[in-house]
Amino acid sequence: MDSDGMATRGVNYSRVFSQAIDRLHAEGRYRVFIDILRNKGAFPNARCFAGHNGPKPITVWCSNDYLAMGQHPDVIAAMEEALHDVGAGSGGTRNIGGNTHYHIDLEGELADLHGKEAALLFTSGYVSNEATLSTLAKLFPGMVVFSDEMNHASMIAGIRHAGCEKRIFRHNDLAHLEELLAAEDADAPKLIAFESVYSMDGDIAPIADICDLADRYNALTYLDEVHAVGMYGAHGGGISERDEVAHRLTVIEGTLGKAFGVMGGYIAADRTVIDVIRSYAPGFIFTTSLSPVLVAGALASVRHLKASSVERDGQQQAAETLKRMMREAGLPVMDSTTHIVPLMVGDPVKAKKISDILLAEYGVYVQPINYPTVPRGTERLRFTPGPAHDETMMRELCQALVEIWDRLELRAAA
Amino acid sequence: MDSDGMATRGVNYSRVFSQAIDRLHAEGRYRVFIDILRNKGAFPNARCFAGHNGPKPITVWCSNDYLAMGQHPDVIAAMEEALHDVGAGSGGTRNIGGNTHYHIDLEGELADLHGKEAALLFTSGYVSNEATLSTLAKLFPGMVVFSDEMNHASMIAGIRHAGCEKRIFRHNDLAHLEELLAAEDADAPKLIAFESVYSMDGDIAPIADICDLADRYNALTYLDEVHAVGMYGAHGGGISERDEVAHRLTVIEGTLGKAFGVMGGYIAADRTVIDVIRSYAPGFIFTTSLSPVLVAGALASVRHLKASSVERDGQQQAAETLKRMMREAGLPVMDSTTHIVPLMVGDPVKAKKISDILLAEYGVYVQPINYPTVPRGTERLRFTPGPAHDETMMRELCQALVEIWDRLELRAAA
């Protein structure tokens, strides 16, 4: 195929590509990247380049750098030291030239954080879920995976790529999960895959109860804690630390790219399980390892949040305050029990319009969340207040939202 | 399942995990991470922590930081600036809070490097292949993908995850590829997926001839250039630049983690193709974007290698010299036409033994390459000399190899 001859014969490739884009525009969910640069040391302040009118100052309300650890002096200093000590990239896979002492230290620190024997780093949380779930399930012929209906796309990808049987249980519904478990052969290998904090609704799974079911039906358990590590538990070990159930889980998965403020993913588990994933998962074996600069930064961040609860407490307080202010202002804040503050809109075009007005007129950056990230009809704005968002910022935000809600006549819909 | 109750009923999970590890030991291909730290500014020198006797000085001979750009002052300076300007991580996906001006600049630079309208960054080359191929193929009902038998694991994963029809053609075999193309319905959508430089043998694909076949049979083309970008072509645009065929390819895929010395992957293509992948690929949408620190470093590296051929020329010369010295020493160097210098061993246990002796007795670090990275029976050592490996190092290396070859009585096998 040459560049301007896509339609010479048979299938018209150009038309299929264009139609795929047209469908997104028609549904109002074509996405535009917002062009920003954060100001280090002044988070949540940033500069916006959108529409080439920038740089213009804005306040970021939708970062997953939940505790602003990406700006923490210890993290920056550790990354700078690694940069000067060993250089930019690792130069290879973990097996071929790309292992460093930093990787080994961080894996030890993460194993300790979750009370497990070992841990394994991946280039992202997405890859850690995809690679681990697909490899685990493939190892057991006849494996049946029980998956919460709200599980993240990366977990769904891993389960699908395993090619195994899959049963979807209703979100956090223990009775439904048990019904599905009981329906399978008692001798079939089983794995229950779920999250602790669900990122778009901000609710929490009943981990202990799910472990009880796993015991009763002899199932392995896989818990995604990406929206909880660093933020819950006395040392930032997540909801499984807070609920004192970490030892009951087969695999705990986490990220270095949200509360820890850097980039990368990991799993923690028994030594043998880690050894199996390390040895068999293509998504681990055949990829350049995390840059030692990132690993050094994550190591500093994990260590800091193990010892300090100031950031966690500040975040919880900020989230409580914002939820209260939104409720008092009559805004349709959703019923979240965590640090995540979702505001229901229920329409992709309106969600984008509110976001556009906030950015253009109020200097507030919050992204509209549309399908496929959330189900159609539940489009929303998702706020992630952190320890650095103060009450003045929150008052200004609520006032802006009320004005926009009135202007767009959204009160009835809310 | 509780931590010590894996065997209470039905399936014995612990036993299956242990057996999986035992199989690797039995085949002699259980892998151990070598624990090293490179010395920035002194590459290929490094420190080794292996066996806890370390730090001990070693010479690295198997890095994919082919041109030592991971140590280049421009790259280090750019990363340091970004670290202090915006912080450690991006804090979100490209769509939700994790886009930065650096990402947009680098995508522009990469599009220009390959003479394409647009480019798209991924967290790794593995993810760029998996996400793009699976998404491309899914978009066309009835798609048939024609895949070179030596394609990388990440391409195979992408094609498999698309769930489409797949035809494997013999490595670089145009007649076989044409035979397979001709056997399909002329109206079926088709995609030919291949690499430019094959990383374990070091040979090169006939890109122009494959594009001719793509034209004749109206197929899209997908070229993986991860072992060529930065190293071939007047500006580092890869073999497709050197052969003046970049404009004929639908998608060119590359990495920021090898010759560019940092981390991450990308594709370059027409604007509409990029827009489709950006909008539909789960592996792009649902993951935290590359750290702006990495993006800034990669931007400096790409710009430097666009303007400078010193590193490329030095690498080619080093590879030629090492291949000549090995041939003169009677060592079984494979027939590579590129910068990659593979030495055939043909047995996983012996390959590991040679590597162990080199590290322990000669301070030489080169990893044994075993199945599944190469087919069983073709286990090898893979050397990647770069501009910083001088002739003295090469003489010492060849002398060490000859001594080991004699000690292990490998002459007959070679």
Side-chain angles (χ1 to χ4, degrees), chain A residues 1 9 13 20 30-31 34 38 40 64 70 80 84 88-89 91 95 99 190 216 218 275 278 280 367, chain B residues 9 13 20 30-31 34 38 64 70 80 84-85 88-89 91 95 99 190 215-216 218 275 278 280 367:
Chain A
M1 194 209 73
R9 191 173 66 182
Y13 294 104
Y30 181 81
R31 304 189 195 211
I34 301 297
R38 296 188 294 173
K40 205 214 60 158
N64 284 337
E80 187 167 349
H84 288 289
N95 286 301
N99 189 45
K190 299 177 185 71
R216 198 167 315 147
N218 189 29
D275 215 8
R278 185 182 80 83
Y280 285 92
Q367 196 69 33
Chain B
R9 190 173 66 183
Y13 295 104
Y30 180 81
R31 304 187 196 211
I34 302 296
R38 298 189 294 173
N64 283 338
E80 187 166 348
H84 288 290
D85 192 27
N95 285 301
N99 189 45
K190 299 178 186 71
D215 286 348
R216 199 167 312 147
N218 190 29
D275 214 8
R278 185 181 80 83
Y280 284 93
Q367 195 70 32

Side-chain angles (χ1 to χ4, degrees), chain B residues 1 4 63 132 140 147 171 175 196 216 241 288 291 302 393:
Chain B
M1 192 207 76
D4 53 5
S63 176
T132 306
F140 295 88
S147 175
H171 180 52
S196 59
R216 199 167 312 147
E241 184 190 14
T288 300
S291 156
V302 171
M393 290 173 178

Side-chain angles (χ1 to χ4, degrees), chain B residues 35-39 42 44-50 53-60 358-365:
Chain B
D35 188 0
I36 59 171
L37 279 182
R38 298 189 294 173
N39 302 332
N45 297 314
R47 288 152 280 167
C48 183
F49 292 78
N53 296 322
K56 180 178 94 168
I58 56 168
T59 305
V60 178
L358 281 169
L359 187 63
E361 301 182 23
Y362 298 92
V364 163
Y365 174 42

Side-chain angles (χ1 to χ4, degrees), chain A residues 236-318:
Chain A
I239 302 292
S240 58
E241 184 190 14
R242 188 196 73 176
D243 293 359
E244 299 180 349
V245 290
H247 63 287
R248 301 184 65 189
L249 295 152
T250 313
V251 177
I252 296 175
E253 185 266 345
T255 181
L256 308 169
K258 301 191 197 294
F260 293 127
V262 189
M263 180 187 165
Y266 68 89
I267 57 169
D270 286 355
R271 193 175 307 283
T272 314
V273 173
I274 295 296
D275 215 8
V276 165
I277 302 303
R278 185 182 80 83
S279 302
Y280 285 92
F284 172 81
I285 296 171
F286 296 105
T287 198
T288 299
S289 65
L290 276 178
S291 157
V293 179
L294 300 181
V295 178
L299 188 56
S301 186
V302 171
R303 283 179 178 160
H304 178 85
L305 288 178
K306 263 183 178 170
S308 167
S309 286
V310 177
E311 295 81 5
R312 279 188 281 279
D313 295 345
Q315 182 198 34
Q316 289 300 323
Q317 201 172 335

Side-chain angles (χ1 to χ4, degrees), chain B residues 142-386:
Chain B
M143 171 65 89
V144 184
V145 175
F146 300 81
S147 175
D148 188 287
E149 66 176 338
M150 299 285 281
N151 275 343
H152 188 257
S154 55
M155 299 172 77
I156 296 168
I159 297 164
R160 188 169 292 162
H161 298 163
C164 64
E165 289 293 315
K166 177 168 74 165
R167 307 284 176 263
I168 312 290
F169 60 95
R170 286 189 294 272
H171 180 52
N172 283 344
D173 186 333
L174 294 166
H176 190 216
L177 173 58
E178 176 149 27
E179 188 185 311
L180 293 174
L181 284 163
E184 298 298 325
D185 185 340
D187 289 338
K190 299 178 186 71
L191 171 68
I192 305 173
F194 62 116
E195 303 184 24
S196 59
V197 171
Y198 286 85
S199 71
M200 293 298 154
D201 288 10
D203 58 342
I204 293 177
I207 305 177
D209 295 333
I210 290 176
C211 288
D212 288 346
L213 287 177
D215 286 348
R216 199 167 312 147
Y217 293 92
N218 190 29
L220 301 174
T221 49
Y222 184 98
L223 178 65
D224 175 323
E225 287 252 44
V226 297
H227 291 277
V229 291
M231 291 173 281
Y232 295 86
H235 306 91
I239 302 291
S240 59
E241 184 190 14
R242 187 197 74 174
D243 293 358
E244 299 181 348
V245 290
H247 62 288
R248 301 184 65 188
L249 295 153
T250 313
V251 177
I252 296 174
E253 185 266 344
T255 180
L256 308 168
K258 302 190 197 292
F260 294 128
V262 189
M263 179 186 166
Y266 68 89
I267 57 169
D270 286 355
R271 194 175 307 282
T272 314
V273 173
I274 295 296
D275 214 8
V276 166
I277 302 303
R278 185 181 80 83
S279 302
Y280 284 93
F284 173 81
I285 295 172
F286 297 105
T287 198
T288 300
S289 65
L290 277 177
S291 156
V293 179
L294 301 180
V295 177
L299 188 56
S301 186
V302 171
R303 282 180 177 158
H304 177 84
L305 289 177
K306 263 184 178 168
S308 167
S309 287
V310 177
E311 295 81 5
R312 278 187 282 279
D313 295 345
Q315 182 198 34
Q316 289 299 322
Q317 202 172 335
E320 281 313 309
T321 305
L322 182 61
K323 281 189 261 191
R324 180 175 51 74
M325 284 187 184
M326 283 184 170
R327 270 193 303 269
E328 287 171 2
L331 292 161
V333 59
M334 291 169 65
D335 192 25
S336 153
T337 57
T338 62
H339 59 282
I340 294 161
V341 183
L343 202 58
M344 181 59 77
V345 179
D347 179 275
V349 178
K350 283 177 185 155
K352 179 154 192 332
K353 180 142 198 187
I354 300 167
S355 167
D356 288 347
I357 296 174
L358 281 169
L359 187 63
E361 301 182 23
Y362 298 92
V364 163
Y365 174 42
V366 65
Q367 195 70 32
I369 312 285
N370 291 343
Y371 177 84
T373 306
V374 295
R376 287 193 172 91
T378 72
E379 291 81 4
R380 66 197 68 177
L381 303 176
R382 175 181 175 274
F383 298 87
T384 54

